[in-house]
Amino acid sequence: MATRSVHDHDSAEGLVSLDDAREKVLSQVRVLPPLELPLTDAYGCVAAGDITAAIDLPEFASSAMDGFAVRASDVEGASPVEPVELKVVGRAMIGQRPEATVGMGESVKIATGAPIPGGADAVIPVENTEEDDGLVRVLERANAGRHVRPQGEDVRAGDVLVPGGKRLGAPELGLLANAGVPHPLVHPRPRVIVLSTGDELIAPTEEPEFGQVRDSNAYMIFGALREAGAIPVLAGIVRDDPEALKDAVLNYEIQADAFVSSGGVSVGERDVVKAAFYRRGDVDFYKVAMQPGMPQGFGLVEGKPFFGLPGNPVSVFVSFEMFVRPAVLKMMGRQHLGRPEVSATLTGDVQGPRDKTVFARVEVARGADGWSATPTGGRGSNLIATVVRANGLAVLPPGVASASAGDRLSVMLFRAAED
Ligand code: AMP
Ligand code: MG
């Protein structure tokens, strides 16, 4: 029998490529149906379609100065030596309908921001006038439109305020509020139920007996979900008992858009997640050609995406980046599901299995000659402090087993280099 390459050997074992695994997940995840949400809840969500203006903005022409609203044609020849005298027929105050319209030979005393009265087409600033007992002497001429903020200067009725697919940030909220769209139609944030499995786990507030481990994954997943824009719901620790896990999931099903569990998916282990869901519904368990994070479970439970992540914290972190984060972003209607990538020069060596995509934790920094990437420590998938020191994952693609100082690698940034 011919010698098989490592890759062949692993394929025979049923390794799924990272791309295929991701595609399998994303093809089963749906964008959440849109809802009309109040602006403060819609913040950060994606507009489900073009949001158009029903009105002009500004809605009415207003004065840019304190002064007198006039007809430009009345003050054509005005100058300090030849002032034009107009009758003051009323006032225009902010937030109110002007007291009068401006006819020929007339003016209305106007405040900054007040609506321009009918008939007027220009404003003479108060410093270029002399007011005197029901009359005003205008000391300068003005073109039509002078010191007038026109109606519809910013937005015209029918214009697109926010295009579909765009995320509502601070300026978008301000514009929608101004345009009278207090409940825009957006894709909501998914509510994601977070479960930790393991007989050895205790809450971080508890004192461990020898051998017990404080649940860190739930909190890491909580933070990662928040950063992705989802609403995490911590559902606590579930013992390695398939019935307990099923009960917990079904308990939360009504409020869940998705589930993320950690632990209990590796081979030869007690496989609590597999035992609970292998038969029920469509959760698949498979090994992805990646390190860390090889064993994964994914499927739909009661129609909701269920991510069965491995137990080791670094595997959880990387699996979340690869599968959960893009899925959550897709559910929210986001267009770009990936992280920014930079090409960086390694300052130390990294290695891993040749047949897998290897993610090495690195600290990326911008130097005089581009980005550098410094490995932050050991390769063990239990070493969570190595992720805390990192801001990126350097990628060794399949077929590449190692890279050395001076080599350039692509690095996915999971937080800003400055954070
Ligand atoms: P498992 O796949 O369930 O065997 O878990 C693999 C390793 O990850 C074990 O050493 C677990 O103790 C550890 N682990 C699993 N879940 C958690 C968790 N929520 N927090 C911290 N460590 C965990
Ligand atoms: Mg376990």
Side-chain angles (χ1 to χ4, degrees):
M1 195 177 119
T3 321
R4 290 196 304 196
S5 71
V6 175
H7 183 84
D8 289 337
H9 176 74
D10 276 342
S11 317
E13 274 188 351
L15 271 193
V16 181
S17 80
L18 178 56
D19 284 347
D20 287 353
R22 206 186 333 221
E23 177 50 33
K24 171 187 165 65
V25 167
L26 289 176
S27 67
Q28 291 186 66
V29 169
R30 303 271 161 263
V31 182
L32 294 182
L35 290 176
E36 286 182 353
L37 292 183
L39 286 170
T40 48
D41 291 341
Y43 170 74
C45 294
V46 171
D50 288 354
I51 304 174
T52 52
I55 52 167
D56 288 343
L57 286 181
E59 255 190 294
F60 53 88
S62 65
S63 177
M65 301 290 271
D66 288 341
F68 291 84
V70 301
R71 294 171 169 243
S73 56
D74 275 351
V75 297
E76 245 169 18
S79 73
V81 279
E82 272 184 274
V84 169
E85 214 166 59
L86 301 172
K87 191 175 169 208
V88 179
V89 294
R91 287 184 304 171
M93 284 175 288
I94 205 157
Q96 292 181 22
R97 188 174 288 285
E99 288 172 356
T101 57
V102 175
M104 261 180 11
E106 294 178 345
S107 76
V108 160
K109 190 170 186 183
I110 194 164
T112 304
I116 301 287
D121 59 4
V123 171
I124 308 297
V126 69
E127 54 271 28
N128 298 324
T129 64
E130 289 167 3
E131 197 180 0
D132 183 9
D133 193 25
L135 296 174
V136 64
R137 274 186 294 282
V138 174
L139 309 178
E140 69 165 11
R141 60 177 307 279
N143 290 328
R146 181 83 177 135
H147 300 309
V148 173
R149 296 174 181 154
Q151 175 178 342
E153 186 181 22
D154 202 7
V155 171
R156 292 264 173 211
D159 283 357
V160 173
L161 295 166
V162 179
K166 185 160 198 223
R167 234 178 136 196
L168 305 188
E172 286 76 19
L173 287 201
L175 179 62
L176 293 175
N178 203 206
V181 187
H183 296 98
L185 189 67
V186 297
H187 298 289
R189 300 173 184 273
R191 187 178 289 271
V192 183
I193 312 303
V194 181
L195 296 149
S196 300
T197 69
D199 286 340
E200 76 283 22
L201 300 179
I202 57 165
T205 48
E206 291 179 282
E207 270 311 308
E209 304 281 339
F210 181 77
Q212 291 187 317
V213 176
R214 293 186 184 89
D215 174 10
S216 71
N217 292 345
Y219 296 89
M220 184 165 53
I221 294 169
F222 174 91
L225 285 168
R226 268 283 176 87
E227 285 173 19
I231 303 169
V233 178
L234 295 191
I237 297 164
V238 184
R239 300 291 148 219
D240 285 326
D241 164 11
E243 289 308 315
L245 180 58
K246 262 194 266 187
D247 283 352
V249 166
L250 295 181
N251 254 331
Y252 280 93
E253 192 270 323
I254 189 139
Q255 53 168 305
D257 293 306
F259 296 91
V260 180
S261 75
S262 63
V265 295
S266 27
V267 191
E269 200 235 340
R270 287 167 68 186
D271 284 347
V272 56
V273 183
K274 198 184 237 176
F277 295 113
Y278 197 52
R279 254 163 255 238
R280 160 182 209 107
D282 322 274
V283 180
D284 268 356
F285 294 86
Y286 46 93
K287 291 193 274 177
V288 181
M290 66 190 266
Q291 192 189 70
M294 183 175 74
Q296 298 286 335
F298 176 76
L300 301 177
V301 172
E302 307 290 321
K304 317 266 173 90
F306 182 101
F307 297 86
L309 306 186
N312 275 305
V314 183
S315 305
V316 169
F317 184 81
V318 175
S319 311
F320 188 98
E321 283 293 317
M322 292 305 129
F323 306 114
V324 185
R325 187 174 183 276
V328 160
L329 295 182
K330 180 173 177 185
M331 292 170 96
M332 293 183 70
R334 297 277 294 273
Q335 314 281 317
H336 296 285
L337 306 183
R339 291 288 197 180
E341 287 190 27
V342 295
S343 171
T345 306
L346 280 175
T347 65
D349 302 344
V350 295
Q351 56 261 313
R354 180 181 296 278
D355 59 321
K356 297 189 179 127
T357 304
V358 175
F359 295 100
R361 300 138 237 180
V362 295
E363 186 186 0
V364 165
R366 196 202 294 268
D369 24 86
W371 296 95
S372 67
T374 303
T376 59
R379 282 168 53 198
S381 54
N382 52 335
L383 307 177
I384 188 65
T386 61
V387 183
V388 170
R389 290 193 291 270
N391 54 16
L393 295 171
V395 185
L396 283 179
V400 180
S402 66
S404 323
D407 289 348
R408 286 183 86 76
L409 282 184
S410 181
V411 181
M412 283 176 29
L413 290 177
F414 60 79
R415 56 182 155 205
E418 299 75 28
D419 278 1

